[in-house]
Amino acid sequence: MNAPSTIDLARISAMDLAHAARLLKGVRDATLAGQRPRVMPRPVIRESWGRMMTGGVDPDRDVRSRLLDEEELEERRRASPLLPVLPVLRDALVTVADAAQHIMVVCDADGRVLWREGSSSVLRKADALGFEPGADWSEGVVGTNGVGTPLVVRRPVQVFSAEHFVRTHHSWTCTGAPVTDPRDGTLLGVVDVSGPLRTMHPATMALVGSVAKLAEARLRERHVTALERLRAVAAPVLARLAGRALAVDTHGWTAAVTGMPAADRLALPKSLAAGRAWLPSLGTCRVEPLPGGWLLRPEDPREAPEPLPATRLVLDVSGPRRWTLAMLGGARDWTHDLSPRHAELLYLLATHRKGRSASGLAEDMFGDPARTVTVRAELSRVRRYLGALLAHRPYRFHEDVEVELILPDHPASLLPHSAAPAIRRARSVAEP
């Protein structure tokens, strides 16, 4: 028997919309019943449905968390790193959304709706659905949708009709794209365009994805400007100093340096404060505040012996959107937030304690053993905070270091953003 084909957005958009909705409803109903549908859902939808069934989301009833009150909502809006790029999002999307009977929605990294604009008639329909400012539209609360699912998979997602896990959302189509901080890859939120079923168009995903990238470009411009301001402040300070010193912003990006090779960025602890601190790439440093950053003055290791290396690493990939590596047992404990790519690589190394070659990791990550340049570049960045604890030839954790791997409760929730073949195989044991 031939395996069922997988539906895609091109096929959906070419159909009569009512027929497409009925087809997707049949796919969803069969999946929820534990049967094999005659047409398979798209992989991003299938994996999301698997997370919803594992997490116990009700497929028939829209259950949501508490709505933020006006004071809480305003506080989140003021604190949102997306506030400076809100004009960019409005200029690019609101006019289009209004004309196409859509609304533009901007949410924070928790999936809370911060701003909505667009068609007044669609806004009223969204109110009836609970898609309103202050509402929680994270995937674990309202199921597969154009806000919560992009937050989990960290890429643009379009969800049409019965691809929504919860039945009450089937009359909608929504398309969302995540916006990340260009300084450190932190997920800042999602920009989404949503509307009634009849407004579905496959080009919407390209539009929303491009606007999210435009917002990130504006944030990058602001970062460059901030670094230039810090450089102007730091340059006369460094000119008066003897020995090694550098000025970095609060995210570790280098603005100015003297007496030592320049690095683009350093790994900084979240708790960095004025005084003495140990950094993996520099050793013990004297830390002084600067407007918009820090002045770091590495000490001579002969005068300040380096702490013993860590003897235990704890890699926590149990969460859907935040992953950490803790280094314990030395003179200074250390916890580092991981980027999505580094979470993938370190998970693979933790599951291959005897080591993995660059080509093997490229096969695991990309399905292409020839992509070793990308792997080596990323692992050189990992060394900024792991140092000698990461050995090579093959790549592996040092054999004297104990490694604890903390996994999610269910394999389907493992690094849900990842498209790496090896990680998808690890998740697939739990797919419906």
Side-chain angles (χ1 to χ4, degrees):
M1 182 181 295
N2 293 332
S5 61
T6 298
I7 200 164
D8 57 32
L9 288 175
R11 288 180 61 188
I12 293 173
S13 61
M15 296 178 186
D16 172 78
L17 292 181
H19 173 66
R22 287 194 300 272
L23 172 65
L24 291 172
K25 181 180 183 301
V27 171
R28 174 182 172 276
D29 291 347
T31 302
L32 291 177
Q35 301 168 357
R36 191 171 182 82
R38 62 187 181 89
V39 180
M40 296 298 291
R42 294 182 288 139
V44 67
I45 300 299
R46 183 177 69 247
E47 292 178 0
S48 176
W49 287 354
R51 293 191 295 272
M52 299 308 94
M53 288 186 282
T54 300
V57 175
D58 190 328
D60 295 314
R61 190 166 62 92
D62 189 353
V63 179
R64 59 185 60 257
S65 61
R66 181 183 67 86
L67 193 70
L68 296 178
D69 62 35
E70 193 62 33
E71 183 178 347
E72 292 173 311
L73 177 60
E74 286 304 319
E75 183 177 346
R76 287 208 183 206
R77 284 172 170 171
R78 287 192 298 268
S80 173
L82 295 179
L83 181 60
V85 295
L86 189 58
V88 173
L89 302 177
R90 283 176 172 147
D91 291 345
L93 289 177
V94 171
T95 302
V96 174
D98 196 13
Q101 292 293 292
H102 278 109
I103 56 174
M104 180 199 76
V105 180
V106 179
C107 301
D108 65 16
D110 295 326
R112 290 282 182 176
V113 178
L114 299 184
W115 295 280
R116 294 184 324 170
E117 297 182 37
S119 166
S120 58
S121 63
V122 179
L123 286 170
R124 288 192 295 270
K125 292 177 181 178
D127 286 340
L129 193 66
F131 199 20
E132 57 189 312
D136 184 350
W137 274 71
S138 57
E139 192 187 60
V141 172
V142 298
T144 308
N145 72 91
V147 171
T149 302
L151 282 173
V152 171
V153 301
R154 297 179 72 103
R155 61 183 184 274
V157 178
Q158 188 167 32
V159 185
F160 174 71
S161 187
E163 289 184 320
H164 289 91
F165 186 75
V166 178
R167 179 173 50 80
T168 49
H169 305 164
H170 289 184
S171 61
W172 281 74
T173 178
C174 54
T175 306
V179 181
T180 58
D181 192 327
R183 296 171 297 183
D184 58 9
T186 299
L187 195 58
L188 303 180
V190 162
V191 57
D192 167 271
V193 168
S194 293
L197 205 57
R198 67 180 184 279
T199 63
M200 185 268 182
H201 195 287
T204 306
M205 187 157 74
L207 171 64
V208 175
S210 296
V211 172
K213 292 299 180 187
L214 177 60
E216 291 173 353
R218 291 296 173 86
L219 290 171
R220 190 174 296 108
E221 291 172 7
R222 290 172 60 87
H223 176 223
V224 170
T225 301
L227 273 182
E228 290 173 351
R229 287 197 298 265
L230 176 59
R231 187 175 297 116
V233 170
V237 175
L238 294 180
R240 296 193 297 268
L241 297 177
R244 300 183 298 160
L246 69 163
V248 299
D249 71 6
T250 55
H251 290 262
W253 290 94
T254 301
V257 64
T258 185
M260 59 188 295
D264 288 340
R265 188 184 178 202
L266 302 177
L268 299 180
K270 290 182 177 180
S271 58
L272 188 64
R276 296 175 75 238
W278 181 80
L279 305 179
S281 55
L282 296 177
T284 302
C285 299
R286 293 195 176 276
V287 181
E288 300 174 29
L290 290 172
W294 300 100
L295 174 66
L296 306 178
R297 303 177 65 183
E299 295 183 348
D300 188 331
R302 293 170 296 183
E303 299 175 6
E306 294 300 309
L308 295 174
T311 57
R312 182 166 171 255
L313 295 175
V314 180
L315 175 61
D316 187 346
V317 293
S318 61
R321 299 197 298 270
R322 182 175 180 260
W323 318 281
T324 61
L325 180 70
M327 289 165 269
L328 309 173
R332 293 287 185 101
D333 292 343
W334 172 274
T335 299
H336 182 71
D337 283 342
L338 298 173
S339 69
R341 181 56 54 81
H342 289 184
E344 294 168 333
L345 281 168
L346 293 176
Y347 164 79
L348 292 170
L349 291 178
T351 56
H352 293 86
R353 286 306 310 274
K354 292 184 178 179
R356 202 83 170 113
S357 66
S359 61
L361 286 171
E363 177 75 29
D364 292 341
M365 292 287 295
F366 310 112
D368 181 0
R371 292 187 60 177
T372 56
V373 172
T374 302
V375 167
R376 290 192 176 103
E378 289 295 342
L379 287 171
S380 71
R381 297 183 181 101
V382 171
R383 279 206 179 91
R384 293 175 185 169
Y385 50 87
L386 267 184
L389 299 178
L390 179 66
H392 63 289
R393 296 182 182 174
Y395 290 107
R396 65 196 186 280
F397 292 112
H398 194 283
E399 54 266 21
D400 292 336
V401 177
E402 175 191 352
V403 178
E404 178 184 354
L405 178 60
I406 302 177
L407 296 169
D409 293 335
H410 198 279
S413 299
L414 174 65
L415 299 174
H417 69 279
S418 178
I423 294 172
R424 280 193 153 175
R425 285 194 296 271
R427 289 198 302 255
S428 65
V429 296
E431 287 185 5

